[in-house]
Amino acid sequence: MADVSAARTKAVFEFKSATLPLIAVILKTADLDVLAEALDAQLADSPDFFEQEPVVIDLSMLQELAAEAGAPAPGIDFAALRSLLARHQTQPIAVRGGSPEQHAAARDAGLSVAAMPAAPAPRPPAPPAEAPAASEAPQIVRELPVPANGTLLIDKPLRSGQQIYARGGDVVVTAIVSFGAEVIADGNVHVYAPLRGKAIAGARGNTEARIFSTCMEAQLVAIAGIYRTNEVPLPEPVLGKPAQVRLDGKKIAIDAIP
């Protein structure tokens, strides 16, 4: 009889690993009123951007800021935070980073604790010029696995503060990449629309990767950690026109596409 029951159990379900699109919301403040205002402003133009996708709440930056100030990690009302994020059509499922006390509070609110790397992708070094103080707005990061054909397709506009990372391949974007948005890929970056934000190709060191856009107005371009910002104006032949970005030795080269 036990053998029959075991056979029936095997027949009705299987456990398989699954790779899902993932959004990470990197918190820069524990003040939920400030966070709500920032989210409302940032997502006002694209209220349906997330479409009930799963979300991981990244606490690593809050922990770093607290450590720099010599203060304990701030307390967070995770039940209220879940409701706030759900208002923007996301499904918070877990936290990552943070302190043991924050993990305990997250579990009490029905969230799991994910053992995931806090950094979504290698980043280019900061430009040497003085940068404005960091905003308390959250950084919204889509960490998307690349399909089997090696290319990730994004057909929605990317607003300021949003980031796409194509882990393991190329990314093709068919809508505007606004100033303050980021497109990152381990392979090539293609933007068939105005590229006004940041584009980072070869994020894991691929020096052969390239960046292409039909309207090059980028805030920053980088390949394999070598970058160029808009502090050096783009030359007239490529500004606002089809262009490609490549590495020429250890320098960024930007060429017009006829």
Side-chain angles (χ1 to χ4, degrees), residues 67-114:
E68 289 174 3
I76 299 173
D77 184 343
F78 284 101
L81 179 56
R82 289 188 70 178
S83 298
L84 172 58
L85 293 173
R87 235 173 55 201
H88 292 283
Q89 300 195 42
T90 68
Q91 294 291 332
I93 58 171
V95 300
R96 69 182 183 189
S99 67
E101 293 77 15
Q102 288 172 332
H103 292 175
R107 289 192 180 98
D108 288 343
L111 296 165
S112 62
V113 176

Side-chain angles (χ1 to χ4, degrees), residues 19-256:
T19 302
L20 299 174
L22 180 66
I23 297 169
V25 179
I26 303 173
L27 296 188
K28 301 178 182 180
T29 177
D31 188 327
L32 298 191
D33 291 334
V34 172
L35 182 62
E37 184 178 350
L39 283 170
D40 289 343
Q42 186 168 318
L43 300 175
D45 294 336
S46 51
D48 300 323
F49 186 77
F50 293 117
E51 299 178 344
Q52 302 301 324
E53 292 179 87
V55 161
V56 169
I57 301 165
D58 192 320
L59 306 172
S60 55
M61 185 168 289
L62 285 181
Q63 191 172 29
E64 289 175 11
L65 293 172
E68 289 174 3
I76 299 173
D77 184 343
F78 284 101
L81 179 56
R82 289 188 70 178
S83 298
L84 172 58
L85 293 173
R87 235 173 55 201
H88 292 283
Q89 300 195 42
T90 68
Q91 294 291 332
I93 58 171
V95 300
R96 69 182 183 189
S99 67
E101 293 77 15
Q102 288 172 332
H103 292 175
R107 289 192 180 98
D108 288 343
L111 296 165
S112 62
V113 176
M116 299 172 65
R123 303 291 293 275
E130 291 185 6
S135 165
E136 290 187 317
Q139 182 183 7
I140 299 173
V141 182
R142 282 178 182 262
E143 299 175 9
L144 300 177
V146 174
N149 64 5
T151 302
L152 175 69
L153 174 63
I154 303 297
D155 59 3
K156 295 180 179 179
L158 298 182
R159 308 297 181 186
S160 179
Q162 295 175 338
Q163 182 190 80
I164 293 291
Y165 173 35
R167 185 185 297 274
D170 297 351
V171 60
V172 173
V173 185
T174 60
I176 186 172
V177 179
S178 299
F179 187 90
E182 295 186 39
V183 182
I184 301 173
D186 289 344
N188 302 305
V189 172
H190 302 258
V191 181
Y192 297 114
L195 170 56
R196 295 172 182 160
K198 301 177 183 179
I200 300 168
R204 293 183 181 271
N206 179 5
T207 57
E208 299 300 316
R210 298 193 180 194
I211 299 167
F212 303 87
S213 177
T214 55
C215 182
M216 182 64 70
E217 301 174 348
Q219 175 186 1
L220 176 147
V221 290
I223 297 177
I226 298 175
Y227 68 94
R228 170 177 173 153
T229 73
N230 60 3
E231 291 178 358
V232 179
L234 292 172
E236 184 63 28
V238 300
L239 178 60
K241 298 171 184 176
Q244 67 166 317
V245 181
R246 59 183 176 85
L247 279 185
D248 182 6
K250 293 187 177 181
K251 295 182 179 180
I252 291 286
I254 304 177
D255 305 317

